[in-house]
Amino acid sequence: MGRLVFLFASSLLLMVAATTVSAAILEHSFYVMNSTLNSFSILLWIKLAPPLQSQAGSKVQNLTVTRLCNRQVITAVNDSLPGPSLRVREGDKLIIHVFNMSPYKITIHWHGVSQLMSAWSDGPEMITQCAIRPGNNYTYKYRITKQEGTLFWHAHSSFLRATVHGAIIIHPRGRHSYPFPKPYREVPILLGEWWNANVVDVENQALALGIGPNISNAYTINGWPGDLYPCSQNQMYKHRVEQGKTYLLRIINAAVNSHLFYKIANHNMTVVAVDARYTNPYVTDVVVISPGQTVDVLLTADQPVGSYYMAANSYASGSGTAVGVPFNPTTTRGVIIYQGAPSSTTPLMPVVPAFNDTPTAHKFFTELTSLVGGPHWVPVPLNVDHKMFVTVGMGLDVCPQNVSCQDRPPVGAALSGNMNNVSFVLPTSLSLLQAFFFNVGGVYTTDFPANPLVQFNYTNPSINADLPLLFAPKRTSITKVKFNSTVEMVMQNTALIGAENHPMHLHGFDFHVLAQGFGNFNPATDTLKYNLFNPQMRNTISVPVAGWAVIRFVANNPGVWFMHCHFDAHLPIGLATAFVVENGPTPETTLPPPPVDLPQC
């Protein structure tokens, strides 16, 4: 009997040990700051900050950087551009203390994290929380659940995400492995944009003129513009490899307003995951990635010893329209250097796609499929409870008071955006999640239309002559759905103002991408194209230029979840909506109360 008790106790200890190994609590401090603070303020914040195992600690200081011949102060986290990478395992819990030492209000969004039962930590300003005011702090707490791969975090207030962002790297739970051969090394590749200006000023200028913001001055790879830009010969990201080894590149598009092509000279890449969801291996020589998306690729150093440029340039689908959406036509590049390559070697340059190469972009976006039976694979729900047909596109707004609106025809109108002829407006006094939890009326309405208020020939450019169609009413209008219901949404791009590829991001959920195509969606024929077996899963979908995409997801996470275009060029927001997911039937499926330190408006 004693032996049986001993064996049982030993087994129990092993189970507890295995659980401890497979999940951890990770705590970090994020100090958001720029040059307006004095040394006393910095020392005071360090004193007030809890003694955490943090990547900041004693390194807190103002961040002044030199790019493109200019020396300027930027808003950043922990003295770093990009900000610190969060390296976790599936199942880990994160506790992140954000201290706002900048002069701007700010929130942090953990882009793509499902936030299962932790909606208060999602981060979009005025959706799940009010902003963290200068001099204040807020602690985000959430668990990584059934997601593996690459995501990222970024500011969700104004243009600050241009410099306030970093990687989230999710490894398999302890004693689990990748569904592909283990790579020799893992390398984050963060693609970004750089302005020779304060990015908040860039946004404010756009708002003051009622137009889109000035285009960026450069693209960047891991914060560096590369040697094609002025004064940047020595400001280029370099990665050294060993011949024959395989590397996992975790590619993140942290750019504010740009879809990007990414290539490496003379090398193929094998896509193995997108948006922290595993895919069937897909071999390609070019990756196409929209703002908010991530792509994990295996790169084998199988070429002759030498140096090879990696390059990223814009995919600017809207530039071929009658309006001619402006874009940055430049190219950023880094370099892959093989061990043993002479320092005098001139790197080979890849042939990058043309800015308007829609066939290449569409091929990449549509040929990816999920790894059926792989870790955390989710089959497509076949029964749909809530069907929606939603137009997404640009429009105009009556010029606000004290705004010039002189640079966009017709004179006297401001640039805006809308979904289903409704232009979304953020609340100002209370976040949507607070209004939902405390049942406060007057903050939002649940009458977002399941179909367009006005039906028209969505992708015909001639609709731009119909001025009343361009002006959508402005409302805080959202959709309420029951817990565990299945939502299907057809997103139809429009040619209003100018057709372009819209990167639509849904907070709180990953969705199946059932189909994509061009022109106006035709339910009689296009529903036959649905992939119900192994469609890719994402949190951000590029709705094709002058085309459509169909997504489907199960609303199994109570709370309020933002859906919006991940272009910050669309000012004010407009091109957005939200879902209210009602509580489930049990305490485990009921939204918990807000934390005591939730910022107030």
Side-chain angles (χ1 to χ4, degrees), residues 241-299:
V241 300
E242 293 185 32
Q243 191 177 41
K245 302 290 188 181
T246 297
Y247 298 79
L248 178 62
L249 305 186
R250 298 179 176 273
I251 308 170
I252 298 167
N253 188 347
V256 176
N257 291 322
S258 297
H259 309 273
L260 294 168
F261 294 111
Y262 175 85
K263 293 190 71 173
I264 301 174
N266 285 23
H267 287 76
N268 283 331
M269 295 168 280
T270 302
V271 178
V272 291
V274 294
D275 292 5
R277 292 288 181 177
Y278 290 117
T279 66
N280 286 306
Y282 178 76
V283 179
T284 179
D285 69 340
V286 59
V287 165
V288 192
I289 185 166
S290 296
Q293 292 184 333
T294 69
V295 179
D296 292 358
V297 301
L298 295 175
L299 171 73

Side-chain angles (χ1 to χ4, degrees), residues 347-368:
L348 295 178
M349 178 67 183
V351 177
V352 297
F355 73 89
N356 58 354
D357 190 351
T358 291
T360 292
H362 189 65
K363 182 177 186 292
F364 181 86
F365 285 140
T366 57
E367 292 190 355
L368 299 172

